[in-house]
Amino acid sequence: MKKQEIKKLSKDEVIKNIDKLKKDLFNFRFQKMNSQITNPAKIRETRKTIARLKTILKGKSNA
């Protein structure tokens, strides 16, 4: 997700996206352990997206 896309989301949508991405990250870790992952860069990308969402969420809760 791009920063502009994230800023357009509401607080509830951001929280839902964080939960979904955390589940995806959990599944990626299992795939990595079993050597079934096709794109290992997705793990890092997912972690960064979660961090972006949390940053935007914190800014929205302070405003």
Side-chain angles (χ1 to χ4, degrees):
M1 284 188 128
K2 302 243 178 184
K3 190 175 180 181
Q4 294 88 11
E5 295 172 3
I6 294 172
K7 282 188 174 183
K8 292 179 184 177
L9 298 175
S10 70
K11 189 176 179 180
D12 292 332
E13 290 173 331
V14 171
I15 293 171
K16 287 179 186 176
N17 280 334
I18 290 173
D19 289 340
K20 180 188 168 293
L21 288 171
K22 281 186 177 182
K23 288 178 186 175
D24 290 345
L25 186 61
F26 181 78
N27 289 330
F28 288 149
R29 287 184 183 141
F30 269 104
Q31 289 175 1
K32 183 179 177 184
M33 294 297 291
N34 294 326
S35 300
Q36 296 175 344
I37 193 160
T38 56
N39 187 3
K42 286 292 279 181
I43 295 172
R44 186 173 186 176
E45 181 182 327
T46 304
R47 284 195 337 242
K48 286 185 175 188
T49 305
I50 291 170
R52 285 187 195 108
L53 287 167
K54 284 184 174 183
T55 301
I56 295 295
L57 182 63
K58 188 169 187 168
K60 287 186 181 207
S61 64
N62 288 342

